[in-house]
Amino acid sequence: MCNLYSLIRSQSEIGKAFSVEHDDTGNLPPLPGIFPNTTAPVIRIRDGARALSMMRWGMPSPAFALKGKKVDPGVTNVRNTGSPHWRRWLSPAHRCLVPITSFSENEKAADGSHPPVWFALSEDRPLTCYAGILVEGWQSVRKVKDGETTDDLYAFLTTEPNAEVGAVHPKAMPVILTKPEEWETWLSAPWPEAKDLQRPLADDALVVVARGARRDGRDDDVS
């Protein structure tokens, strides 16, 4: 399950690649390690144009998962889009693109540890994105010390793994969209059309770019 990814390309590169017209993120630094329940940029439609905004990673958990719990740290990735809990957030108004340069899955090492294995489209770690969903203005207790907060939240879809990811994590991989036409379909098409994008990348579409560290990026990108 992907609970760690990176975004090391510059703000201007992100804006240009995804045709962003409004940028709400302020001064966005490289993010070589993005963890659950922290904020990161997403691209969504606002007032008919693509906007880059910061949101908190982790959609609201289903009610059954919260029984007996005082906090909801959120659900980071979503597989079962047929669930009533998720169906309410599958319309274009609740979809987003989550820009990334690499993502990790944990492998089981001989010593019993589970170090990250980082995947990217190539060694250069070009920009790509997850198929994401979002909800704005959600009230919940994410951390006991913070009490109830109001947050804009996101997560991304997962699917069965391709060959590269499956060799490390055989259960799932993120839904990654690599083409501008896929981005447009995800952001605007009705669900019967957009749902076809919930599929793995082709085998050989990813390469392993790093192992072991909990952050990823070329030295000149993250120094």
Side-chain angles (χ1 to χ4, degrees):
M1 182 173 65
C2 177
N3 276 330
L4 176 60
Y5 69 96
S6 74
L7 177 62
I8 59 171
R9 291 287 166 256
S10 70
Q11 203 164 352
S12 61
E13 288 178 279
I14 297 168
K16 183 177 180 181
F18 293 102
S19 302
V20 170
E21 297 180 63
H22 303 292
D23 188 338
D24 308 325
T25 60
N27 184 21
L28 182 64
L31 299 170
I34 300 171
F35 294 88
N37 216 7
T38 61
T39 58
V42 305
I43 298 144
R44 44 79 181 261
I45 301 297
R46 193 188 71 216
D47 298 328
R50 293 186 186 185
L52 187 67
S53 303
M54 299 297 288
M55 294 191 178
R56 195 169 188 169
W57 184 15
M59 287 285 282
S61 299
F64 73 84
L66 296 176
K67 289 183 180 179
K69 297 183 179 180
K70 296 181 179 180
V71 300
D72 179 10
V75 177
T76 56
N77 43 72
V78 176
R79 181 75 173 266
N80 182 15
T81 55
S83 162
H85 180 74
W86 300 118
R87 283 203 304 264
R88 55 182 156 166
W89 295 314
L90 297 178
S91 68
H94 290 282
R95 293 190 215 137
C96 62
L97 307 176
V98 183
I100 73 165
T101 48
S102 63
F103 69 95
S104 75
E105 299 287 1
N106 292 336
E107 67 176 343
K108 186 175 182 179
D111 62 1
S113 63
H114 293 81
V117 177
W118 288 88
F119 298 90
L121 295 181
S122 70
E123 290 286 348
D124 289 339
R125 298 165 174 81
L127 273 167
T128 188
C129 67
Y130 297 142
I133 58 175
L134 63 85
V135 62
E136 297 179 87
W138 188 266
Q139 294 181 324
S140 62
V141 178
R142 307 285 292 195
K143 297 180 180 180
V144 172
K145 67 177 182 179
D146 296 335
E148 186 175 81
T149 59
T150 301
D151 300 283
D152 297 335
L153 305 174
Y154 76 95
F156 52 83
L157 302 192
T158 61
T159 186
E160 60 271 17
N162 70 354
E164 291 76 54
V165 177
V168 174
H169 184 70
K171 293 184 177 180
M173 71 172 291
V175 173
I176 298 173
L177 308 178
T178 61
K179 302 174 182 178
E181 56 265 33
E182 294 175 338
W183 307 340
E184 180 61 28
T185 296
W186 182 250
L187 290 175
S188 63
W191 180 243
E193 179 181 352
K195 70 177 182 179
D196 291 340
L197 294 172
Q198 190 179 13
R199 78 288 184 266
L201 287 182
D203 295 342
D204 299 324
L206 295 166
V207 297
V208 173
V209 293
R211 293 177 182 268
R214 289 174 62 80
R215 49 184 269 158
D216 178 62
R218 303 175 310 187
D219 291 341
D220 55 341
D221 291 316
V222 299
S223 59

